[in-house]
Amino acid sequence: MKKIEAIIRLSRFESIRDALAAIDVNFFTLSEVKGFGLQRGEQLTYRGSVYDADYIARLQLDIVAPVDKVDAIVGAISSAGRTGKVGDGKIIVYDLERIVRIRTGEENESAI
């Protein structure tokens, strides 16, 4: 079992969601996050005044998947989320030792 964590642009979420649905990944956890990377802060304009935002708003997708689906999921997120500009995001894949569904006690692949 693997956990895939993807930090993505807000503007690319719908295309990434559709790409994941096309490979039968219809469940994930979504969080609004802020970060700071190579892109640095963004300049926001409000009523004619320019403000520097120290952090950049992004979305974080957390997906738990069997090992055999990881490459397809990473490929779908990469292709649908790529704009070619700095700030497209990151994908991180972790090993999972154990997963337990609280309601039924099922474990690992049957728990997802």
Side-chain angles (χ1 to χ4, degrees):
M1 299 297 298
K2 301 281 186 176
K3 177 183 178 187
I4 302 160
E5 183 177 290
I7 308 296
I8 62 168
R9 293 178 182 272
L10 281 76
S11 62
R12 304 303 296 169
F13 171 68
E14 288 185 18
S15 60
I16 290 170
R17 181 195 59 205
D18 294 344
L20 290 171
I23 59 169
D24 293 325
V25 176
N26 297 307
F27 56 92
F28 51 81
T29 302
L30 177 67
S31 305
E32 293 183 22
V33 296
K34 293 182 181 180
F36 192 89
L38 294 176
Q39 189 177 7
R40 304 285 183 226
E42 294 177 322
Q43 288 189 337
L44 305 172
T45 304
Y46 178 70
R47 294 188 178 187
S49 298
V50 177
Y51 298 91
D52 288 329
D54 291 337
Y55 298 101
I56 301 166
R58 294 287 184 254
L59 293 175
Q60 178 176 320
L61 301 177
D62 293 317
I63 304 168
V64 176
V67 174
D68 60 334
K69 288 195 92 169
V70 170
D71 290 337
I73 293 169
V74 170
I77 294 170
S78 294
S79 63
R82 184 176 295 124
T83 66
K85 298 178 184 171
V86 173
D88 278 347
K90 300 277 188 276
I91 301 171
I92 304 159
V93 180
Y94 301 97
D95 287 322
L96 296 179
E97 186 174 320
R98 184 177 177 196
I99 302 168
V100 178
R101 179 177 288 159
I102 295 172
R103 179 176 54 88
T104 62
E106 293 171 292
E107 294 195 18
N108 300 322
E109 286 190 31
S110 61
I112 60 169

